[in-house]
Amino acid sequence: MADRITTEAPTTEAIRRAEPTARPRLARKPRGILVPLWLGYVFLYLPILIVVVMSFNDSSNLFVWRGFSLRWYPELFANEALMQGLVNTLIVATGATAIATVLGTLLAYGIQHYTRGGLIRAFAIAPAIMPDLLLGIGLLTFFSLITFTVGLHSVIIAHGVFATAFVTAIVLARMANLDPSLEEASRDLGAGPVRTFVRITLPQLAPGIVAGALLAFTLSLDEFVIAFFTSAPTQPTLPIVIYSMVRFGVTPEVNALASILLLVSIVTVIAAQRLTRLTGSTR
Protein backbone atom coordinates (compact mmCIF):
# COMPACT_ATOMS: atom_id res chain seq x y z
CA MET A 1 0.00 0.00 0.00
CA ALA A 2 1.49 3.29 -1.04
CA ASP A 3 2.33 5.75 1.64
CA ARG A 4 -0.08 8.61 1.77
CA ILE A 5 1.66 11.91 1.22
CA THR A 6 0.29 14.66 3.38
CA THR A 7 1.03 18.30 2.88
CA GLU A 8 1.10 20.43 5.97
CA ALA A 9 -0.30 23.92 5.61
CA PRO A 10 2.25 26.65 6.32
CA THR A 11 1.85 28.29 9.67
CA THR A 12 1.49 32.01 10.25
CA GLU A 13 4.99 32.14 11.67
CA ALA A 14 6.40 30.49 8.53
CA ILE A 15 4.62 33.01 6.32
CA ARG A 16 6.04 35.87 8.34
CA ARG A 17 9.55 34.45 8.01
CA ALA A 18 9.12 34.10 4.27
CA GLU A 19 8.15 37.77 3.92
CA PRO A 20 10.82 40.37 3.34
CA THR A 21 12.31 41.49 6.58
CA ALA A 22 12.63 45.09 5.52
CA ARG A 23 9.43 46.82 6.58
CA PRO A 24 8.74 50.50 6.09
CA ARG A 25 9.15 52.35 9.34
CA LEU A 26 6.62 54.89 10.38
CA ALA A 27 7.99 58.36 9.92
CA ARG A 28 8.42 60.16 13.19
CA LYS A 29 6.58 63.42 13.45
CA PRO A 30 8.93 66.25 14.29
CA ARG A 31 8.26 67.54 17.77
CA GLY A 32 8.80 71.08 16.62
CA ILE A 33 5.49 70.99 14.78
CA LEU A 34 3.69 71.06 18.15
CA VAL A 35 5.24 74.40 19.08
CA PRO A 36 2.72 76.52 17.13
CA LEU A 37 -0.08 74.45 18.67
CA TRP A 38 1.01 75.12 22.23
CA LEU A 39 1.72 78.76 21.44
CA GLY A 40 -1.82 79.07 20.17
CA TYR A 41 -3.18 77.55 23.39
CA VAL A 42 -1.06 79.93 25.46
CA PHE A 43 -2.25 82.91 23.42
CA LEU A 44 -5.89 81.92 23.90
CA TYR A 45 -5.97 80.78 27.51
CA LEU A 46 -3.21 82.67 29.32
CA PRO A 47 -5.25 85.91 29.62
CA ILE A 48 -8.19 83.91 30.95
CA LEU A 49 -5.94 82.19 33.48
CA ILE A 50 -4.57 85.55 34.61
CA VAL A 51 -8.10 86.86 35.20
CA VAL A 52 -8.98 83.82 37.31
CA VAL A 53 -5.78 84.01 39.34
CA MET A 54 -6.11 87.75 39.97
CA SER A 55 -9.67 87.28 41.20
CA PHE A 56 -8.07 85.70 44.31
CA ASN A 57 -5.62 88.57 44.80
CA ASP A 58 -5.90 90.32 48.14
CA SER A 59 -4.77 93.61 46.62
CA SER A 60 -7.04 96.10 44.86
CA ASN A 61 -4.17 96.75 42.47
CA LEU A 62 -4.49 94.26 39.64
CA PHE A 63 -0.76 94.31 38.93
CA VAL A 64 0.45 93.64 42.47
CA TRP A 65 0.02 90.25 44.13
CA ARG A 66 -0.38 90.50 47.89
CA GLY A 67 -1.56 87.03 48.73
CA PHE A 68 -4.51 84.70 48.30
CA SER A 69 -7.91 86.02 49.35
CA LEU A 70 -11.63 85.52 48.64
CA ARG A 71 -12.56 89.06 49.62
CA TRP A 72 -13.68 90.11 46.13
CA TYR A 73 -16.37 87.46 45.81
CA PRO A 74 -18.49 88.77 48.73
CA GLU A 75 -17.90 92.32 47.48
CA LEU A 76 -19.09 91.20 44.05
CA PHE A 77 -22.47 90.18 45.47
CA ALA A 78 -22.64 93.48 47.33
CA ASN A 79 -22.25 95.47 44.09
CA GLU A 80 -25.80 96.49 43.16
CA ALA A 81 -24.98 97.49 39.57
CA LEU A 82 -23.36 94.15 38.78
CA MET A 83 -26.10 92.15 40.49
CA GLN A 84 -28.85 94.04 38.65
CA GLY A 85 -27.03 93.49 35.38
CA LEU A 86 -26.73 89.79 36.21
CA VAL A 87 -30.46 89.55 36.92
CA ASN A 88 -31.25 91.29 33.63
CA THR A 89 -28.90 88.94 31.78
CA LEU A 90 -30.48 85.85 33.34
CA ILE A 91 -33.95 87.09 32.39
CA VAL A 92 -32.84 87.73 28.82
CA ALA A 93 -30.97 84.42 28.52
CA THR A 94 -33.93 82.43 29.88
CA GLY A 95 -36.46 84.12 27.61
CA ALA A 96 -34.24 83.92 24.53
CA THR A 97 -33.50 80.25 25.21
CA ALA A 98 -37.20 79.43 25.46
CA ILE A 99 -37.95 81.22 22.17
CA ALA A 100 -34.97 79.76 20.36
CA THR A 101 -35.64 76.21 21.58
CA VAL A 102 -39.26 76.16 20.43
CA LEU A 103 -38.71 77.96 17.13
CA GLY A 104 -35.46 76.16 16.34
CA THR A 105 -36.98 72.73 16.94
CA LEU A 106 -40.06 73.45 14.82
CA LEU A 107 -37.95 75.05 12.10
CA ALA A 108 -35.60 72.06 11.97
CA TYR A 109 -38.55 69.66 11.78
CA GLY A 110 -40.15 71.63 8.95
CA ILE A 111 -36.89 71.89 6.99
CA GLN A 112 -36.22 68.16 7.34
CA HIS A 113 -39.70 67.00 6.32
CA TYR A 114 -41.13 69.62 4.00
CA THR A 115 -38.26 71.18 2.07
CA ARG A 116 -35.79 70.06 -0.56
CA GLY A 117 -32.40 71.55 -1.33
CA GLY A 118 -30.13 73.60 0.87
CA LEU A 119 -31.32 77.16 0.22
CA ILE A 120 -33.92 77.30 2.98
CA ARG A 121 -31.56 75.47 5.32
CA ALA A 122 -28.87 78.08 4.62
CA PHE A 123 -31.28 80.96 5.33
CA ALA A 124 -32.33 79.33 8.61
CA ILE A 125 -28.74 79.05 9.85
CA ALA A 126 -27.55 82.38 8.40
CA PRO A 127 -27.96 84.40 11.65
CA ALA A 128 -25.39 82.12 13.27
CA ILE A 129 -22.67 83.26 10.86
CA MET A 130 -23.92 86.79 10.31
CA PRO A 131 -21.80 89.51 11.97
CA ASP A 132 -23.30 90.60 15.28
CA LEU A 133 -22.83 94.23 14.33
CA LEU A 134 -24.94 93.83 11.20
CA LEU A 135 -27.61 91.89 13.05
CA GLY A 136 -27.74 94.42 15.87
CA ILE A 137 -28.07 97.41 13.55
CA GLY A 138 -30.69 95.60 11.48
CA LEU A 139 -32.80 94.73 14.53
CA LEU A 140 -32.52 98.27 15.88
CA THR A 141 -33.65 99.66 12.53
CA PHE A 142 -36.55 97.22 12.42
CA PHE A 143 -37.66 98.15 15.94
CA SER A 144 -37.51 101.82 15.01
CA LEU A 145 -39.59 101.32 11.86
CA ILE A 146 -42.39 99.60 13.75
CA THR A 147 -42.05 102.05 16.69
CA PHE A 148 -41.23 99.21 19.07
CA THR A 149 -39.87 100.38 22.42
CA VAL A 150 -36.58 98.86 23.49
CA GLY A 151 -35.93 97.19 26.81
CA LEU A 152 -35.36 93.70 28.13
CA HIS A 153 -38.18 92.43 25.91
CA SER A 154 -36.44 93.70 22.78
CA VAL A 155 -33.16 92.10 23.86
CA ILE A 156 -34.96 88.80 24.44
CA ILE A 157 -36.39 88.91 20.92
CA ALA A 158 -33.03 89.91 19.42
CA HIS A 159 -31.13 87.15 21.22
CA GLY A 160 -33.84 84.69 20.30
CA VAL A 161 -33.29 85.49 16.61
CA PHE A 162 -29.63 84.52 16.46
CA ALA A 163 -29.93 81.72 19.05
CA THR A 164 -32.65 80.06 16.96
CA ALA A 165 -30.11 79.45 14.22
CA PHE A 166 -27.86 77.47 16.57
CA VAL A 167 -30.72 75.38 17.90
CA THR A 168 -31.87 74.69 14.35
CA ALA A 169 -28.42 73.50 13.29
CA ILE A 170 -28.06 71.16 16.27
CA VAL A 171 -31.56 69.69 15.95
CA LEU A 172 -31.06 69.19 12.21
CA ALA A 173 -27.88 67.24 12.95
CA ARG A 174 -29.84 65.10 15.37
CA MET A 175 -32.66 64.50 12.88
CA ALA A 176 -30.19 63.26 10.27
CA ASN A 177 -29.58 60.23 12.51
CA LEU A 178 -33.21 59.33 13.20
CA ASP A 179 -34.90 56.31 11.70
CA PRO A 180 -37.75 57.56 9.46
CA SER A 181 -39.42 54.15 9.57
CA LEU A 182 -40.55 54.82 13.14
CA GLU A 183 -42.61 57.82 12.06
CA GLU A 184 -43.99 55.86 9.10
CA ALA A 185 -44.99 53.00 11.40
CA SER A 186 -46.71 55.46 13.74
CA ARG A 187 -48.74 56.96 10.90
CA ASP A 188 -49.60 53.49 9.55
CA LEU A 189 -50.99 52.60 12.97
CA GLY A 190 -53.35 55.57 12.82
CA ALA A 191 -51.49 58.28 14.74
CA GLY A 192 -51.78 61.80 13.38
CA PRO A 193 -48.88 64.14 12.61
CA VAL A 194 -49.08 65.92 15.98
CA ARG A 195 -49.25 62.72 18.00
CA THR A 196 -46.43 61.20 15.99
CA PHE A 197 -44.29 64.25 16.61
CA VAL A 198 -45.00 64.31 20.36
CA ARG A 199 -44.78 60.55 21.04
CA ILE A 200 -42.15 59.42 18.51
CA THR A 201 -40.05 62.27 17.12
CA LEU A 202 -39.75 64.56 20.12
CA PRO A 203 -38.29 61.95 22.53
CA GLN A 204 -35.63 61.06 19.96
CA LEU A 205 -34.80 64.74 19.44
CA ALA A 206 -34.54 65.43 23.18
CA PRO A 207 -30.70 65.24 23.42
CA GLY A 208 -30.28 67.63 20.48
CA ILE A 209 -32.96 69.99 21.82
CA VAL A 210 -31.37 70.15 25.28
CA ALA A 211 -27.92 70.66 23.76
CA GLY A 212 -29.23 73.49 21.58
CA ALA A 213 -30.97 75.09 24.55
CA LEU A 214 -27.80 74.99 26.66
CA LEU A 215 -25.78 76.50 23.83
CA ALA A 216 -28.38 79.22 23.28
CA PHE A 217 -28.34 80.08 26.99
CA THR A 218 -24.55 80.32 27.01
CA LEU A 219 -24.44 82.50 23.90
CA SER A 220 -27.08 84.86 25.27
CA LEU A 221 -25.36 85.04 28.64
CA ASP A 222 -22.27 86.86 27.37
CA GLU A 223 -23.55 88.45 24.14
CA PHE A 224 -22.70 92.15 24.02
CA VAL A 225 -23.05 93.71 20.56
CA ILE A 226 -26.69 92.86 19.86
CA ALA A 227 -27.69 93.74 23.43
CA PHE A 228 -25.88 97.06 23.13
CA PHE A 229 -28.01 98.08 20.15
CA THR A 230 -31.37 96.73 21.33
CA SER A 231 -31.40 97.43 25.09
CA ALA A 232 -32.56 100.46 27.04
CA PRO A 233 -30.04 102.56 29.02
CA THR A 234 -32.02 101.96 32.21
CA GLN A 235 -31.98 98.15 31.82
CA PRO A 236 -28.46 97.16 30.79
CA THR A 237 -27.39 93.55 30.64
CA LEU A 238 -24.34 92.33 32.49
CA PRO A 239 -21.87 92.63 29.55
CA ILE A 240 -22.92 96.27 29.10
CA VAL A 241 -22.47 96.97 32.81
CA ILE A 242 -19.01 95.42 32.74
CA TYR A 243 -18.11 97.42 29.64
CA SER A 244 -19.10 100.67 31.33
CA MET A 245 -16.95 99.74 34.33
CA VAL A 246 -13.81 98.56 32.53
CA ARG A 247 -13.55 101.78 30.54
CA PHE A 248 -12.15 103.30 33.74
CA GLY A 249 -10.06 100.25 34.62
CA VAL A 250 -10.76 96.65 35.49
CA THR A 251 -11.80 96.18 39.12
CA PRO A 252 -11.25 93.02 41.17
CA GLU A 253 -15.02 92.45 41.34
CA VAL A 254 -15.07 92.12 37.57
CA ASN A 255 -12.35 89.48 37.76
CA ALA A 256 -14.37 87.53 40.31
CA LEU A 257 -17.49 87.81 38.18
CA ALA A 258 -15.58 86.73 35.08
CA SER A 259 -14.32 83.65 36.93
CA ILE A 260 -17.84 82.66 37.94
CA LEU A 261 -19.17 83.18 34.42
CA LEU A 262 -16.26 81.19 33.05
CA LEU A 263 -17.12 78.28 35.30
CA VAL A 264 -20.79 78.44 34.31
CA SER A 265 -19.91 78.62 30.61
CA ILE A 266 -17.51 75.67 30.83
CA VAL A 267 -20.05 73.47 32.59
CA THR A 268 -22.79 74.43 30.13
CA VAL A 269 -20.66 73.91 27.04
CA ILE A 270 -19.42 70.53 28.28
CA ALA A 271 -22.99 69.45 28.95
CA ALA A 272 -24.08 70.63 25.50
CA GLN A 273 -21.15 68.84 23.88
CA ARG A 274 -21.88 65.57 25.64
CA LEU A 275 -25.53 65.77 24.64
CA THR A 276 -24.61 66.67 21.07
CA ARG A 277 -22.45 63.54 20.84
CA LEU A 278 -25.65 61.54 21.26
CA THR A 279 -26.59 62.63 17.75
CA GLY A 280 -24.22 59.95 16.51
CA SER A 281 -25.86 57.19 18.53
CA THR A 282 -27.27 54.09 16.92
CA ARG A 283 -30.64 54.32 15.29
mmCIF file of all heavy atoms in Angstrom, residues 165-200:
data_model
loop_
_atom_site.group_PDB
_atom_site.id
_atom_site.type_symbol
_atom_site.label_atom_id
_atom_site.label_comp_id
_atom_site.label_asym_id
_atom_site.label_seq_id
_atom_site.Cartn_x
_atom_site.Cartn_y
_atom_site.Cartn_z
ATOM 1 N N ALA A 165 -30.930 80.064 15.267
ATOM 2 C CA ALA A 165 -30.111 79.449 14.217
ATOM 3 C C ALA A 165 -29.245 78.322 14.779
ATOM 4 O O ALA A 165 -29.091 77.269 14.144
ATOM 5 C CB ALA A 165 -29.233 80.520 13.562
ATOM 6 N N PHE A 166 -28.697 78.511 15.963
ATOM 7 C CA PHE A 166 -27.855 77.471 16.566
ATOM 8 C C PHE A 166 -28.684 76.255 16.968
ATOM 9 O O PHE A 166 -28.267 75.110 16.774
ATOM 10 C CB PHE A 166 -27.114 78.034 17.776
ATOM 11 C CG PHE A 166 -26.063 79.040 17.431
ATOM 12 C CD1 PHE A 166 -26.347 80.391 17.420
ATOM 13 C CD2 PHE A 166 -24.776 78.638 17.116
ATOM 14 C CE1 PHE A 166 -25.385 81.332 17.100
ATOM 15 C CE2 PHE A 166 -23.794 79.566 16.796
ATOM 16 C CZ PHE A 166 -24.103 80.910 16.790
ATOM 17 N N VAL A 167 -29.850 76.496 17.537
ATOM 18 C CA VAL A 167 -30.725 75.380 17.902
ATOM 19 C C VAL A 167 -31.149 74.619 16.657
ATOM 20 O O VAL A 167 -31.177 73.379 16.641
ATOM 21 C CB VAL A 167 -31.950 75.893 18.682
ATOM 22 C CG1 VAL A 167 -32.896 74.740 19.002
ATOM 23 C CG2 VAL A 167 -31.517 76.579 19.972
ATOM 24 N N THR A 168 -31.466 75.339 15.598
ATOM 25 C CA THR A 168 -31.867 74.685 14.346
ATOM 26 C C THR A 168 -30.758 73.797 13.810
ATOM 27 O O THR A 168 -31.003 72.658 13.385
ATOM 28 C CB THR A 168 -32.240 75.752 13.297
ATOM 29 O OG1 THR A 168 -33.291 76.580 13.811
ATOM 30 C CG2 THR A 168 -32.709 75.095 12.000
ATOM 31 N N ALA A 169 -29.547 74.285 13.812
ATOM 32 C CA ALA A 169 -28.420 73.504 13.288
ATOM 33 C C ALA A 169 -28.207 72.228 14.101
ATOM 34 O O ALA A 169 -27.967 71.150 13.539
ATOM 35 C CB ALA A 169 -27.155 74.361 13.283
ATOM 36 N N ILE A 170 -28.293 72.326 15.426
ATOM 37 C CA ILE A 170 -28.060 71.157 16.269
ATOM 38 C C ILE A 170 -29.187 70.144 16.120
ATOM 39 O O ILE A 170 -28.946 68.927 16.028
ATOM 40 C CB ILE A 170 -27.888 71.591 17.733
ATOM 41 C CG1 ILE A 170 -26.612 72.422 17.883
ATOM 42 C CG2 ILE A 170 -27.841 70.382 18.660
ATOM 43 C CD1 ILE A 170 -26.405 72.973 19.272
ATOM 44 N N VAL A 171 -30.431 70.616 16.087
ATOM 45 C CA VAL A 171 -31.564 69.692 15.950
ATOM 46 C C VAL A 171 -31.564 69.044 14.565
ATOM 47 O O VAL A 171 -31.897 67.859 14.423
ATOM 48 C CB VAL A 171 -32.893 70.422 16.219
ATOM 49 C CG1 VAL A 171 -34.088 69.494 15.985
ATOM 50 C CG2 VAL A 171 -32.919 70.934 17.655
ATOM 51 N N LEU A 172 -31.173 69.781 13.543
ATOM 52 C CA LEU A 172 -31.058 69.188 12.211
ATOM 53 C C LEU A 172 -30.017 68.076 12.186
ATOM 54 O O LEU A 172 -30.211 67.037 11.537
ATOM 55 C CB LEU A 172 -30.702 70.269 11.186
ATOM 56 C CG LEU A 172 -31.852 71.107 10.635
ATOM 57 C CD1 LEU A 172 -31.317 72.233 9.759
ATOM 58 C CD2 LEU A 172 -32.832 70.243 9.841
ATOM 59 N N ALA A 173 -28.909 68.291 12.873
ATOM 60 C CA ALA A 173 -27.883 67.243 12.951
ATOM 61 C C ALA A 173 -28.421 66.014 13.665
ATOM 62 O O ALA A 173 -28.096 64.879 13.300
ATOM 63 C CB ALA A 173 -26.651 67.782 13.671
ATOM 64 N N ARG A 174 -29.231 66.226 14.667
ATOM 65 C CA ARG A 174 -29.839 65.096 15.371
ATOM 66 C C ARG A 174 -30.844 64.374 14.481
ATOM 67 O O ARG A 174 -30.906 63.137 14.464
ATOM 68 C CB ARG A 174 -30.524 65.596 16.639
ATOM 69 C CG ARG A 174 -31.319 64.532 17.408
ATOM 70 C CD ARG A 174 -30.423 63.456 17.948
ATOM 71 N NE ARG A 174 -31.193 62.471 18.686
ATOM 72 C CZ ARG A 174 -30.698 61.347 19.155
ATOM 73 N NH1 ARG A 174 -29.429 61.061 18.958
ATOM 74 N NH2 ARG A 174 -31.452 60.505 19.833
ATOM 75 N N MET A 175 -31.628 65.114 13.721
ATOM 76 C CA MET A 175 -32.657 64.503 12.878
ATOM 77 C C MET A 175 -32.053 63.685 11.749
ATOM 78 O O MET A 175 -32.669 62.738 11.263
ATOM 79 C CB MET A 175 -33.575 65.584 12.302
ATOM 80 C CG MET A 175 -34.395 66.314 13.345
ATOM 81 S SD MET A 175 -35.703 67.308 12.623
ATOM 82 C CE MET A 175 -36.803 66.024 12.060
ATOM 83 N N ALA A 176 -30.847 64.026 11.332
ATOM 84 C CA ALA A 176 -30.193 63.264 10.270
ATOM 85 C C ALA A 176 -29.895 61.834 10.696
ATOM 86 O O ALA A 176 -29.670 60.970 9.836
ATOM 87 C CB ALA A 176 -28.914 63.965 9.836
ATOM 88 N N ASN A 177 -29.892 61.560 12.012
ATOM 89 C CA ASN A 177 -29.576 60.228 12.506
ATOM 90 C C ASN A 177 -30.807 59.465 12.990
ATOM 91 O O ASN A 177 -30.668 58.389 13.578
ATOM 92 C CB ASN A 177 -28.569 60.329 13.657
ATOM 93 C CG ASN A 177 -27.210 60.819 13.206
ATOM 94 O OD1 ASN A 177 -26.382 60.050 12.743
ATOM 95 N ND2 ASN A 177 -26.982 62.121 13.332
ATOM 96 N N LEU A 178 -31.990 60.022 12.779
ATOM 97 C CA LEU A 178 -33.215 59.333 13.198
ATOM 98 C C LEU A 178 -33.662 58.328 12.144
ATOM 99 O O LEU A 178 -33.369 58.476 10.958
ATOM 100 C CB LEU A 178 -34.327 60.350 13.467
ATOM 101 C CG LEU A 178 -34.068 61.387 14.567
ATOM 102 C CD1 LEU A 178 -35.316 62.230 14.784
ATOM 103 C CD2 LEU A 178 -33.648 60.720 15.857
ATOM 104 N N ASP A 179 -34.363 57.337 12.601
ATOM 105 C CA ASP A 179 -34.896 56.312 11.703
ATOM 106 C C ASP A 179 -36.274 56.745 11.222
ATOM 107 O O ASP A 179 -37.227 56.781 12.012
ATOM 108 C CB ASP A 179 -34.982 54.981 12.441
ATOM 109 C CG ASP A 179 -35.329 53.830 11.498
ATOM 110 O OD1 ASP A 179 -35.546 54.095 10.297
ATOM 111 O OD2 ASP A 179 -35.378 52.680 11.963
ATOM 112 N N PRO A 180 -36.443 57.082 9.940
ATOM 113 C CA PRO A 180 -37.752 57.559 9.462
ATOM 114 C C PRO A 180 -38.823 56.477 9.489
ATOM 115 O O PRO A 180 -40.025 56.786 9.446
ATOM 116 C CB PRO A 180 -37.463 58.014 8.028
ATOM 117 C CG PRO A 180 -36.246 57.260 7.619
ATOM 118 C CD PRO A 180 -35.434 57.080 8.870
ATOM 119 N N SER A 181 -38.428 55.224 9.566
ATOM 120 C CA SER A 181 -39.419 54.153 9.571
ATOM 121 C C SER A 181 -40.278 54.176 10.831
ATOM 122 O O SER A 181 -41.415 53.692 10.818
ATOM 123 C CB SER A 181 -38.732 52.789 9.438
ATOM 124 O OG SER A 181 -37.868 52.553 10.534
ATOM 125 N N LEU A 182 -39.764 54.751 11.916
ATOM 126 C CA LEU A 182 -40.548 54.823 13.143
ATOM 127 C C LEU A 182 -41.740 55.771 12.969
ATOM 128 O O LEU A 182 -42.854 55.466 13.417
ATOM 129 C CB LEU A 182 -39.666 55.296 14.301
ATOM 130 C CG LEU A 182 -38.513 54.361 14.699
ATOM 131 C CD1 LEU A 182 -37.694 54.987 15.816
ATOM 132 C CD2 LEU A 182 -39.054 53.002 15.127
ATOM 133 N N GLU A 183 -41.505 56.902 12.325
ATOM 134 C CA GLU A 183 -42.614 57.816 12.062
ATOM 135 C C GLU A 183 -43.603 57.200 11.072
ATOM 136 O O GLU A 183 -44.827 57.361 11.228
ATOM 137 C CB GLU A 183 -42.080 59.141 11.520
ATOM 138 C CG GLU A 183 -41.249 59.926 12.516
ATOM 139 C CD GLU A 183 -40.816 61.261 11.967
ATOM 140 O OE1 GLU A 183 -41.039 61.496 10.753
ATOM 141 O OE2 GLU A 183 -40.267 62.075 12.725
ATOM 142 N N GLU A 184 -43.104 56.502 10.059
ATOM 143 C CA GLU A 184 -43.994 55.858 9.102
ATOM 144 C C GLU A 184 -44.835 54.785 9.772
ATOM 145 O O GLU A 184 -46.038 54.645 9.496
ATOM 146 C CB GLU A 184 -43.165 55.247 7.969
ATOM 147 C CG GLU A 184 -42.406 56.276 7.132
ATOM 148 C CD GLU A 184 -41.501 55.625 6.108
ATOM 149 O OE1 GLU A 184 -41.465 54.369 6.064
ATOM 150 O OE2 GLU A 184 -40.823 56.355 5.355
ATOM 151 N N ALA A 185 -44.237 54.025 10.680
ATOM 152 C CA ALA A 185 -44.992 53.003 11.398
ATOM 153 C C ALA A 185 -46.055 53.628 12.276
ATOM 154 O O ALA A 185 -47.176 53.098 12.406
ATOM 155 C CB ALA A 185 -44.045 52.149 12.235
ATOM 156 N N SER A 186 -45.731 54.770 12.902
ATOM 157 C CA SER A 186 -46.708 55.457 13.743
ATOM 158 C C SER A 186 -47.902 55.943 12.927
ATOM 159 O O SER A 186 -49.061 55.790 13.341
ATOM 160 C CB SER A 186 -46.043 56.632 14.460
ATOM 161 O OG SER A 186 -46.989 57.367 15.215
ATOM 162 N N ARG A 187 -47.633 56.490 11.747
ATOM 163 C CA ARG A 187 -48.736 56.955 10.900
ATOM 164 C C ARG A 187 -49.549 55.779 10.350
ATOM 165 O O ARG A 187 -50.771 55.868 10.207
ATOM 166 C CB ARG A 187 -48.181 57.808 9.758
ATOM 167 C CG ARG A 187 -47.661 59.175 10.226
ATOM 168 C CD ARG A 187 -47.387 60.085 9.043
ATOM 169 N NE ARG A 187 -46.286 59.576 8.238
ATOM 170 C CZ ARG A 187 -45.027 59.946 8.381
ATOM 171 N NH1 ARG A 187 -44.716 60.811 9.326
ATOM 172 N NH2 ARG A 187 -44.075 59.451 7.617
ATOM 173 N N ASP A 188 -48.876 54.664 10.040
ATOM 174 C CA ASP A 188 -49.599 53.490 9.553
ATOM 175 C C ASP A 188 -50.528 52.914 10.609
ATOM 176 O O ASP A 188 -51.558 52.305 10.279
ATOM 177 C CB ASP A 188 -48.604 52.413 9.103
ATOM 178 C CG ASP A 188 -47.844 52.826 7.855
ATOM 179 O OD1 ASP A 188 -48.330 53.731 7.138
ATOM 180 O OD2 ASP A 188 -46.749 52.275 7.602
ATOM 181 N N LEU A 189 -50.160 53.115 11.877
ATOM 182 C CA LEU A 189 -50.993 52.602 12.967
ATOM 183 C C LEU A 189 -52.108 53.567 13.345
ATOM 184 O O LEU A 189 -52.857 53.306 14.298
ATOM 185 C CB LEU A 189 -50.126 52.314 14.189
ATOM 186 C CG LEU A 189 -49.135 51.154 14.033
ATOM 187 C CD1 LEU A 189 -48.235 51.045 15.248
ATOM 188 C CD2 LEU A 189 -49.878 49.845 13.800
ATOM 189 N N GLY A 190 -52.223 54.674 12.621
ATOM 190 C CA GLY A 190 -53.353 55.572 12.818
ATOM 191 C C GLY A 190 -53.054 56.839 13.581
ATOM 192 O O GLY A 190 -53.960 57.654 13.801
ATOM 193 N N ALA A 191 -51.823 57.058 14.008
ATOM 194 C CA ALA A 191 -51.488 58.280 14.736
ATOM 195 C C ALA A 191 -51.378 59.457 13.780
ATOM 196 O O ALA A 191 -50.855 59.319 12.661
ATOM 197 C CB ALA A 191 -50.171 58.101 15.497
ATOM 198 N N GLY A 192 -51.851 60.613 14.201
ATOM 199 C CA GLY A 192 -51.776 61.804 13.382
ATOM 200 C C GLY A 192 -50.395 62.431 13.429
ATOM 201 O O GLY A 192 -49.518 61.997 14.179
ATOM 202 N N PRO A 193 -50.202 63.498 12.638
ATOM 203 C CA PRO A 193 -48.882 64.144 12.612
ATOM 204 C C PRO A 193 -48.459 64.709 13.974
ATOM 205 O O PRO A 193 -47.301 64.584 14.363
ATOM 206 C CB PRO A 193 -49.048 65.251 11.568
ATOM 207 C CG PRO A 193 -50.208 64.827 10.728
ATOM 208 C CD PRO A 193 -51.114 64.081 11.637
ATOM 209 N N VAL A 194 -49.423 65.325 14.688
ATOM 210 C CA VAL A 194 -49.084 65.924 15.978
ATOM 211 C C VAL A 194 -48.728 64.845 16.994
ATOM 212 O O VAL A 194 -47.731 64.946 17.722
ATOM 213 C CB VAL A 194 -50.259 66.787 16.493
ATOM 214 C CG1 VAL A 194 -49.925 67.344 17.874
ATOM 215 C CG2 VAL A 194 -50.553 67.925 15.521
ATOM 216 N N ARG A 195 -49.520 63.788 17.045
ATOM 217 C CA ARG A 195 -49.249 62.717 18.001
ATOM 218 C C ARG A 195 -47.939 61.995 17.662
ATOM 219 O O ARG A 195 -47.174 61.622 18.556
ATOM 220 C CB ARG A 195 -50.411 61.734 18.013
ATOM 221 C CG ARG A 195 -50.296 60.686 19.120
ATOM 222 C CD ARG A 195 -51.529 59.843 19.189
ATOM 223 N NE ARG A 195 -51.453 58.904 20.299
ATOM 224 C CZ ARG A 195 -52.398 58.001 20.584
ATOM 225 N NH1 ARG A 195 -53.503 57.947 19.830
ATOM 226 N NH2 ARG A 195 -52.246 57.181 21.610
ATOM 227 N N THR A 196 -47.693 61.821 16.390
ATOM 228 C CA THR A 196 -46.427 61.198 15.986
ATOM 229 C C THR A 196 -45.243 62.056 16.392
ATOM 230 O O THR A 196 -44.217 61.532 16.868
ATOM 231 C CB THR A 196 -46.421 60.983 14.461
ATOM 232 O OG1 THR A 196 -47.495 60.103 14.112
ATOM 233 C CG2 THR A 196 -45.108 60.372 14.005
ATOM 234 N N PHE A 197 -45.379 63.361 16.235
ATOM 235 C CA PHE A 197 -44.285 64.252 16.611
ATOM 236 C C PHE A 197 -44.049 64.225 18.122
ATOM 237 O O PHE A 197 -42.898 64.176 18.585
ATOM 238 C CB PHE A 197 -44.605 65.680 16.157
ATOM 239 C CG PHE A 197 -43.576 66.696 16.572
ATOM 240 C CD1 PHE A 197 -42.377 66.813 15.896
ATOM 241 C CD2 PHE A 197 -43.816 67.542 17.654
ATOM 242 C CE1 PHE A 197 -41.427 67.744 16.282
ATOM 243 C CE2 PHE A 197 -42.870 68.478 18.043
ATOM 244 C CZ PHE A 197 -41.675 68.576 17.356
ATOM 245 N N VAL A 198 -45.139 64.241 18.902
ATOM 246 C CA VAL A 198 -45.001 64.306 20.361
ATOM 247 C C VAL A 198 -44.533 62.981 20.940
ATOM 248 O O VAL A 198 -43.671 62.936 21.817
ATOM 249 C CB VAL A 198 -46.339 64.740 21.001
ATOM 250 C CG1 VAL A 198 -46.264 64.664 22.519
ATOM 251 C CG2 VAL A 198 -46.709 66.145 20.559
ATOM 252 N N ARG A 199 -45.056 61.854 20.427
ATOM 253 C CA ARG A 199 -44.776 60.554 21.037
ATOM 254 C C ARG A 199 -43.554 59.848 20.438
ATOM 255 O O ARG A 199 -42.915 59.038 21.108
ATOM 256 C CB ARG A 199 -46.010 59.654 20.883
ATOM 257 C CG ARG A 199 -47.271 60.180 21.546
ATOM 258 C CD ARG A 199 -47.136 60.197 23.049
ATOM 259 N NE ARG A 199 -46.979 58.850 23.568
ATOM 260 C CZ ARG A 199 -47.995 58.042 23.863
ATOM 261 N NH1 ARG A 199 -49.254 58.460 23.671
ATOM 262 N NH2 ARG A 199 -47.775 56.839 24.348
ATOM 263 N N ILE A 200 -43.232 60.147 19.174
ATOM 264 C CA ILE A 200 -42.148 59.419 18.509
ATOM 265 C C ILE A 200 -40.941 60.317 18.247
ATOM 266 O O ILE A 200 -39.813 60.017 18.653
ATOM 267 C CB ILE A 200 -42.644 58.797 17.187
ATOM 268 C CG1 ILE A 200 -43.847 57.883 17.438
ATOM 269 C CG2 ILE A 200 -41.514 58.055 16.495
ATOM 270 C CD1 ILE A 200 -43.549 56.703 18.330
#
